[in-house]
Each structure stands twice: as C-alpha cells, then as structure tokens.
Amino acid sequence: MGDYFLLAISCIFVNNILLMQYLGNCPFLGVSKKMETALGMAMAVVFVLVLAGAITWITNNLILKPFGFEYLRTLAFILVIAALVQFVEMFLKKSIPALYAGLGIFLPLITTNCAVMGVCLINIKEEYTFVQALVSSFTYAIGFGLALILFAGVRERILLARVPKPLQDTSIGLVGAGMMSLAFFAFKGMA
Amino acid sequence: MAKSAVQEFTKGLWAEVPPFRLVLGLCPILAVTKTLENGVGMGVATTFVLVCSNMLISLLRDVIPKQVRIACYIVVIATFVTVVELLMQAFAYPLFLKLGIFIPLIVVNCIVLGRAEAFAAKNGVVASFADGLGMGVGFTLSLTALSIFREIFGSGTLTLPFISTVLPVFGPSFEPFAFLVEAPGAFLCLGLMLCIMNMLGKK
C-alpha cells in the first residue's frame, strides 16, 4: 500500500506530467484561458487516461508481447486510444447525456493529447504491473488536472494585467507556466 | 491556390514557422531542447515523418472517405513513426535512448496531423512535399535555435549533432546556469522566444 502511495505522490507532484515531463502542453495552453474549459478538460483527461492506461497495458502485455509484435506498439496504441475515445464519446452521448454535455467537445481533442499516449508509454517503459499502471494513469491525470486548473486561475488574473504587446497571450502564458513549473520543481527536493 | 512549390516551402521557414506562428507541437520543443544534438535529431525525425506522411496522404486524398479521414491519417502517420523508430534503433541507438518516449510521441505531434488535414488533403503531391519539407525545416530550425541557447548557457557546452562531440564553450571556470536545462527554464525560454518572434514579425 505504501508503495502505491509513493507512486501516487511522485506522479502527481514530483513528476507532474505537464510541468515536469512536458507532455500535454497544447491543451495546457489552449484550454486554460477559462476556468470552465479547464475543468472540463481536466475531467475528460482523468476519465480517458484511466481507461486508456488499462487498455494499452492489456494490449501490450497480453497481445503484443506474447506474439512478439512489440515493434507495432506505436501504431497499436494510437489506434486503441483513438477507438477508445470514439467509443467513450458514443457511450456518454447515449447513456449519460449530462456528462457528455460537459465533456463533449474535449473528447475528440484527447486523441492527439500527448499526455495520454505519453503516460501509456511510460507505464510500459517502467514495466509497471497492472495495478501500478492503473494507479500511475489515474494520478498522472490528477496531476494534469491540478496543474491545468491552477494555471487557469493564474491566466484569468493575467487577463486583468497590462502585458506588453509582444508578450501577450501564449508568450506570457509560457512565462507563467515557467514560474509554476519552478514551484513544482521544489518537490524534487522531497524525492 | 496557384502558389509554386518554392513558395510552399519558404512559408514554413518564416511566415508560418510551426511552433511559433501556429502554436502547435510544443511538447517536443520543450522536452528535447536540452542539448543541440537532441534538438536536431528530433527535428530531423519529425521532418522525415512530415514529408512522408504529407506525400502519402496527398496521393491517397481521393481514395480516403471523408468520414474516417482522421483515422486514416493517424494510421499513415503512425506507420512512418514506426519506420523512424526502427531506423533510429538501427543507426542512431544512443540518440534513440536519449529521446526516449518522444520519438513514438511524434504520432500525436499536432503539426503532423495539422498539416495532413489542412494541406495535404487538398493539394497535389509536389506541393505537399514542399509544404512538409518547409514545415519540417522550420521546426528543426526552431528546435536548433532554442537548444543552442539552452545548452550554451545551461551547461556551458555545445554537443555537435551526428558526431556527438562535446565542445566546451566557456571553459572550465564557467558556472552553468543550470536553471535553463530544467523544466522551468524551458517554459521561460520558449515564452521569451515567442515574444521576440512577435516583435520581429509585426504585421
């Protein structure tokens, strides 16, 4: 149990997927202008990443590995993730319309979110067991959501500030992300 | 859209240079620009995928049904990424180890899919080739610029690409600005570079 707790802490804070591993930056800068969209994206990522983590682990260890098809991993993973996202979208639309209304527009974006694919690859690279892979997928997603929501708060404040013209928008966003990353960097000292 | 292939090529170098003008594909540019060698290696790998997938998609553009086009593009791109992965394992193994998961992650690099959807799906093979090459070279140049800055000031050295020779730039008494090679420095450098590009590229 203690191991899982440590894994969780390291995935959420020490190796934060956005600010320390530099994955998923396009949605990070794209949807962080408003708190609502940031919340929607964070929830959609948590939802999809846990499913994707589980399914890609199964694909890799039960299908690709026994048959020696590991060189097809990239192709297999992206197809599995794309199919999963499509399936989740259809399922939500049909059976939980309220949730679909909240997450809907973010789901197609997730296929090309490198955080999802990245975490699935990290799970394989670190040779996690199934439960470890589940924990790491979930907590990486939580870390993603945490950073995204905090950053959306920062960006809403930046809107009120007078920023020099060339620095506006993405540029000041990146500088702000650098400052946040510096704060998360402090967690490295704990590890 | 009667532009020549040369114009399609040059627009990727400045007017629409991928990571800056179209804010796409930021993850690799932040992650692999710690050293010049990594930056250039990643740029070349991405260029290869961009050019090949652009050409193939442009050839297949009348065959692919509209409804499933994104899935088809992803399969084409993933195939070429696998080709790059295997080629790098065979001929540039140390670089492959350094770039790690960022090579398979070219699949989800928005630039590649973005060009397929926005350009190759509507234009001929020659124009798509030029577009892919231009975008790829522009991307490689941006990675090169950022990684030269970060490596020289962050570690005080310069690793020459392809031959892996480490050149000391400032000599032994230089205290490296280690902040720059870590994550916070990456964000900060990219933000400031974007700012400089905005200043230079006034409409």
Side-chain angles (χ1 to χ4, degrees):
Chain A
M1 206 56 217
D3 288 347
Y4 293 129
F5 181 72
L6 274 182
L7 182 66
I9 293 293
S10 97
C11 291
I12 297 179
F13 296 110
V14 184
N15 290 321
N16 187 286
I17 187 89
L18 274 173
L19 297 168
M20 285 297 142
Q21 310 248 22
Y22 327 87
L23 291 173
N25 275 297
C26 301
F28 181 54
L29 291 163
V31 303
S32 59
K33 283 181 190 162
K34 273 203 207 120
M35 191 55 101
E36 287 161 43
T37 51
L39 271 171
M41 187 69 181
M43 271 154 55
V45 167
V46 172
F47 197 77
V48 171
L49 193 47
V50 175
L51 288 174
I55 290 189
T56 49
W57 191 92
I58 293 171
T59 313
N60 187 65
N61 290 27
L62 299 186
I63 301 175
L64 297 182
K65 238 185 195 165
F67 295 108
F69 285 157
E70 275 144 322
Y71 57 92
L72 285 179
R73 190 183 288 151
T74 314
L75 193 60
F77 275 22
I78 190 75
L79 283 180
V80 165
I81 292 173
L84 175 77
V85 170
Q86 197 80 54
F87 178 75
V88 167
E89 202 180 341
M90 289 190 312
F91 175 77
L92 286 185
K93 205 172 185 176
K94 198 89 184 150
S95 35
I96 322 177
L99 192 58
Y100 178 75
L103 303 183
I105 52 164
F106 300 105
L107 284 172
L109 289 177
I110 286 187
T111 312
T112 52
N113 182 340
C114 43
V116 175
M117 179 88 171
V119 169
C120 297
L121 289 169
I122 290 172
N123 284 343
I124 304 304
K125 203 174 134 219
E126 302 285 329
E127 292 175 350
Y128 286 150
T129 63
F130 186 64
V131 181
Q132 276 175 326
L134 273 186
V135 171
S136 100
S137 308
F138 179 66
T139 48
Y140 268 128
I142 296 286
F144 179 92
L146 179 74
L148 186 61
I149 289 164
L150 287 176
F151 188 59
V154 172
R155 268 195 115 166
E156 282 188 340
R157 288 289 167 142
I158 291 178
L159 270 186
L160 303 175
R162 282 177 54 197
V163 179
K165 195 140 190 292
L167 262 172
Q168 265 163 13
D169 214 28
T170 319
S171 185
I172 191 75
L174 277 167
V175 175
M179 295 300 145
M180 268 189 67
S181 167
L182 201 56
F184 273 78
F185 200 56
F187 289 115
K188 276 231 157 125
M190 280 168 36
Chain B
M1 285 295 274
K3 282 194 211 160
S4 71
V6 179
Q7 277 168 314
E8 298 297 355
F9 174 71
T10 46
K11 78 164 191 269
L13 297 187
W14 181 254
E16 292 180 24
V17 54
F20 299 116
R21 293 280 190 258
L22 336 158
V23 186
L24 290 177
L26 291 175
C27 310
I29 200 170
L30 289 167
V32 302
T33 50
K34 271 181 200 173
T35 66
L36 179 60
E37 190 186 22
N38 290 2
V40 173
M42 186 69 194
V44 172
T46 312
T47 308
F48 175 81
V49 175
L50 248 173
V51 171
C52 295
S53 67
N54 250 12
M55 280 170 70
L56 191 61
I57 286 167
S58 145
L59 278 173
L60 293 175
R61 70 185 186 280
D62 297 326
V63 187
I64 295 176
K66 270 268 173 303
Q67 294 83 0
V68 291
R69 63 179 196 288
I70 300 291
C72 297
Y73 299 163
I74 287 182
V75 174
V76 170
I77 295 166
T79 311
F80 284 114
V81 171
T82 311
V83 171
V84 166
E85 258 185 285
L86 294 177
L87 279 178
M88 284 187 80
Q89 274 180 30
F91 298 109
Y93 195 59
L95 188 62
F96 177 79
L97 288 183
K98 271 190 222 151
L99 292 176
I101 62 167
F102 285 94
I103 291 292
L105 282 178
I106 297 177
V107 176
V108 284
N109 189 328
C110 337
I111 296 175
V112 185
L113 191 61
R115 290 329 287 174
E117 167 79 5
F119 196 92
K122 302 181 192 111
N123 291 283
V125 181
V126 180
S128 301
F129 170 78
D131 177 78
L133 192 63
M135 286 291 158
V137 173
F139 183 68
T140 311
L141 287 180
S142 323
L143 281 172
T144 311
L146 195 61
S147 52
I148 287 180
F149 179 78
R150 281 182 70 196
E151 194 184 356
I152 288 186
F153 292 100
S155 18
T157 56
L158 200 59
T159 318
L160 295 180
F162 306 119
I163 46 174
S164 298
T165 317
V166 180
L167 291 180
V169 175
F170 288 117
S173 58
F174 175 70
E175 188 64 45
F177 191 28
F179 165 74
L180 280 180
V181 287
E182 301 291 352
F187 284 106
L188 207 63
C189 281
L190 189 61
L192 294 179
M193 252 180 104
L194 212 60
C195 165
I196 294 169
M197 290 289 285
N198 285 343
M199 275 160 81
L200 293 177
K202 273 278 138 65
K203 288 148 229 157

